């Protein structure tokens, strides 16, 4: 007969540490992080979990510990009745930080809506928890980069949101980059934030296809009486998947040479594109490859890293970058 391995004093200490730590992690603790913190294997952690589920149960017989998944990762957390009132304060903090990231929506209905939720959540906290939020504005801070200003577009955003929710068709007078005007009967599908800007994805009856509209270029918009059926197969991700940014173009295989280790480390720590691959070479440089749909925004991004990145392929992108750099160089050769 096979006997179960009996817990030791060390195991009991680690179990106590595990449960105590979970009490301050209302959103869970990953299996990998637990194993690293306690210095145990995943197999040992699973053994601990089996023991806890048998010995530590709530009055209704449910285990104190829950296992949840986020993607491929597994997390452990205390079951709902056993979780402390830390949940409320953490929800408030997470919402506050999200609110800070939306500074470019200052003065709009979108910002007011989130602020209202924040104020309600803050008021619902016990007094002792509200005291802990005293220095929240200094503990959590967002630094926006060149955000657009939407304070003059509050009424427009309110109209767009209402039409989005209730699926009303709109008539939109839209000015392009050069100010040329087009009037679209437009079915709004998605409001998108991108690099501190707001865009609406929807179906243009003028072009008979799904397009992007920058909110600040909408000169006038009205809600029409006609409603539209939200398309079952539509996905906003499908209209950005593979693009480098939001401007689409032909499928292009790109190879970039990263000329120093600092640039390689800086870029490899980020998700630049879903297809990115980094290959380090013997000479210390790194090749970054991507398969992108359109290179318009990619070219501007490469120029921002000009001294440390060299375009290997395609030749058309290489020539485009070279031409822009020559033009820029001529600006600085001219006498002042």
């Amino acid at each position: 007969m096979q006997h179960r391995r009996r817990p030791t004093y060390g195991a009991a200490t680690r179990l106590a540490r595990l449960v105590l730590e979970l009490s301050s992690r209302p959103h869970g603790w990953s299996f990998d992080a637990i194993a690293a913190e306690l210095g145990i294997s995943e197999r040992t952690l699973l053994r601990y979990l089996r023991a806890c589920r048998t010995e530590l149960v709530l009055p209704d017989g449910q285990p104190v510990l829950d296992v949840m998944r986020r993607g491929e990762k597994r997390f452990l957390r205390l079951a709902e009745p056993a979780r402390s009132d830390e949940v409320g304060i953490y929800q408030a903090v997470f919402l506050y930080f999200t609110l800070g990231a939306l500074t470019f929506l200052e003065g709009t209905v979108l910002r007011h809506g989130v602020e209202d939720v924040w104020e309600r959540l803050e008021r619902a906290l016990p007094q002792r928890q509200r005291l802990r939020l005293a220095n929240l504005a200094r503990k959590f801070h967002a630094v926006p980069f060149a955000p657009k200003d939407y304070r003059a577009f509050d009424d427009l955003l309110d109209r767009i949101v209402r039409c989005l929710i209730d699926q009303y068709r709109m008539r939109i007078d839209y000015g392009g980059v050069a100010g040329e005007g087009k009037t679209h009967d437009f079915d709004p599908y998605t409001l998108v934030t991108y690099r501190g800007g707001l865009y609406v994805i929807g179906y243009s009856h003028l072009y008979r296809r799904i397009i992007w509209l920058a909110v600040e270029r909408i000169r006038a918009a009205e809600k029409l009486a006609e409603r539209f059926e939200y398309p079952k197969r539509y996905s906003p991700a499908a209209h950005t998947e593979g693009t480098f940014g939001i401007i689409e173009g032909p499928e292009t295989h790109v190879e970039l040479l990263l000329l120093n280790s600092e640039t390689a480390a800086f870029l490899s720590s980020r998700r630049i594109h879903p297809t990115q691959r980094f290959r380090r070479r013997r000479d210390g440089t790194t090749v970054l490859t991507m398969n992108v749909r359109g290179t318009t925004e990619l070219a501007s991004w490469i120029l921002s890293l000009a001294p440390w990145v060299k375009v290997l392929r395609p030749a058309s992108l290489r020539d485009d970058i070279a031409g822009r750099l020559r033009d820029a160089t001529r600006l600085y050769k001219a006498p002042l």
Side-chain angles (χ1 to χ4, degrees), residues 7-17 38 40 48:
T8 63
Y9 177 79
T13 303
R14 287 190 289 271
L15 274 170
R17 285 181 58 197
L38 300 183
I40 59 176
Y48 287 179

Side-chain angles (χ1 to χ4, degrees), residues 195-223:
R195 293 186 178 179
L198 287 173
Y199 300 82
V200 186
I201 305 177
Y203 183 81
S204 166
H205 291 266
L206 175 65
Y207 292 148
R208 296 184 180 180
R209 61 183 174 86
I210 293 175
I211 63 172
W212 291 70
L213 299 179
V215 168
E216 72 277 6
R217 294 183 195 155
I218 297 177
R219 299 186 294 200
E222 63 176 303
K223 183 182 79 171

Side-chain angles (χ1 to χ4, degrees), residues 21-83:
E21 185 71 24
L22 285 174
S23 68
S24 63
R25 294 177 181 264
H27 296 276
W29 197 9
S30 73
F31 275 35
D32 291 342
I34 294 171
E37 178 68 22
L38 300 183
I40 59 176
S41 65
E42 184 175 311
R43 183 178 178 182
T44 300
L45 175 57
L46 291 173
R47 190 172 70 248
Y48 287 179
L49 183 55
R50 285 194 298 270
C52 287
R53 285 185 157 180
T54 302
E55 304 297 333
L56 300 177
V57 295
L58 299 169
D60 62 0
Q62 295 299 314
V64 167
L65 301 183
D66 277 343
V67 177
M68 60 180 182
R69 285 187 176 272
R70 294 183 195 140
E72 297 298 319
K73 285 192 172 185
R74 288 180 294 178
F75 291 76
L76 199 61
R77 69 176 179 180
L78 294 178
E80 195 68 34
R83 292 163 72 186

Side-chain angles (χ1 to χ4, degrees), residues 37-236:
E37 178 68 22
L38 300 183
I40 59 176
S41 65
E42 184 175 311
R43 183 178 178 182
T44 300
L45 175 57
L46 291 173
R47 190 172 70 248
Y48 287 179
L49 183 55
R50 285 194 298 270
C52 287
R53 285 185 157 180
T54 302
E55 304 297 333
L56 300 177
V57 295
L58 299 169
D60 62 0
Q62 295 299 314
V64 167
L65 301 183
D66 277 343
V67 177
M68 60 180 182
R69 285 187 176 272
R70 294 183 195 140
E72 297 298 319
K73 285 192 172 185
R74 288 180 294 178
F75 291 76
L76 199 61
R77 69 176 179 180
L78 294 178
E80 195 68 34
R83 292 163 72 186
S84 70
D85 58 3
E86 290 287 292
V87 175
I89 196 166
Y90 273 89
Q91 287 175 335
V93 167
F94 295 156
L95 178 61
Y96 184 86
F97 187 67
T98 302
L99 185 61
L102 300 177
T103 53
F104 70 99
L105 296 177
E106 190 73 43
T108 71
V109 65
L110 298 174
R111 173 84 179 194
H112 295 326
V114 180
E115 286 176 339
D116 181 60
V117 174
W118 155 252
E119 290 170 2
R120 289 169 184 264
L121 181 57
E122 185 184 24
R123 285 197 301 267
L125 290 173
Q127 177 64 22
R128 67 181 183 278
Q129 299 290 37
R130 290 202 299 272
L131 291 174
R132 297 168 65 188
L133 302 178
N135 295 305
L136 206 59
R138 291 188 291 165
K139 292 179 179 179
F140 295 90
H141 183 66
V143 181
F145 177 74
K148 296 178 181 179
D149 188 347
Y150 289 99
R151 283 173 291 186
F153 296 90
D154 191 33
D155 290 341
L156 172 61
L157 285 171
D158 182 58
R159 197 169 301 121
I160 291 172
V161 169
R162 292 176 184 275
C163 290
L164 269 169
I165 293 173
D166 296 322
Q167 295 168 216
Y168 277 100
R169 184 161 296 159
M170 306 183 72
R171 181 156 294 149
I172 291 178
D173 177 14
Y174 189 73
V177 178
E180 69 280 8
K182 298 283 186 181
T183 300
H184 303 258
D185 280 5
F186 187 78
D187 299 344
Y189 292 164
T190 308
L191 184 63
V192 180
T193 63
Y194 174 67
R195 293 186 178 179
L198 287 173
Y199 300 82
V200 186
I201 305 177
Y203 183 81
S204 166
H205 291 266
L206 175 65
Y207 292 148
R208 296 184 180 180
R209 61 183 174 86
I210 293 175
I211 63 172
W212 291 70
L213 299 179
V215 168
E216 72 277 6
R217 294 183 195 155
I218 297 177
R219 299 186 294 200
E222 63 176 303
K223 183 182 79 171
L224 301 180
E226 185 178 357
R227 302 180 73 170
F228 64 91
E229 184 176 351
Y230 203 86
K232 293 180 179 180
R233 296 187 178 181
Y234 161 77
S235 167

